[in-house]
Amino acid sequence: ASAGQDTLIPNIIKGIAHQISHPFAYIINLIFENSSVPDELKLANVTLIFKAGNPTELQNYRPISVTSFFQNS
């Protein structure tokens, strides 16, 4: 898995998941309580992948978004 906009490497996060689970749960609960997602979690690295057809036409590309590791967990 690739690092997203947050540059966190998933394998490292998975390796320390037990140690960060309580602080992470606290942060997630704050997000729900305040109904507000931090702007940093709304960012993504977008790459266009060519599907087929004329490469000069934008509709022939598929966007791939790599988001924060925590959005996909």
Side-chain angles (χ1 to χ4, degrees), residues 5 29 35 47 56 60:
Q5 191 76 20
N29 286 330
S35 300
T47 302
T56 63
N60 292 330

Side-chain angles (χ1 to χ4, degrees), residues 5-40:
Q5 191 76 20
D6 56 16
T7 68
L8 296 173
I9 300 169
N11 290 339
I12 293 173
I13 300 300
K14 289 178 183 178
I16 62 170
H18 182 72
Q19 292 88 342
I20 65 170
S21 61
H22 290 289
F24 183 66
Y26 177 76
I27 292 168
I28 295 301
N29 286 330
L30 284 176
I31 289 171
F32 287 130
E33 287 173 16
N34 295 315
S35 300
S36 177
V37 176
D39 290 337
E40 292 82 3

Side-chain angles (χ1 to χ4, degrees), residues 48-63:
L48 295 176
I49 304 296
F50 181 65
K51 296 186 294 185
N54 185 345
T56 63
E57 296 179 11
L58 190 57
Q59 66 266 19
N60 292 330
Y61 290 83
R62 175 173 51 114

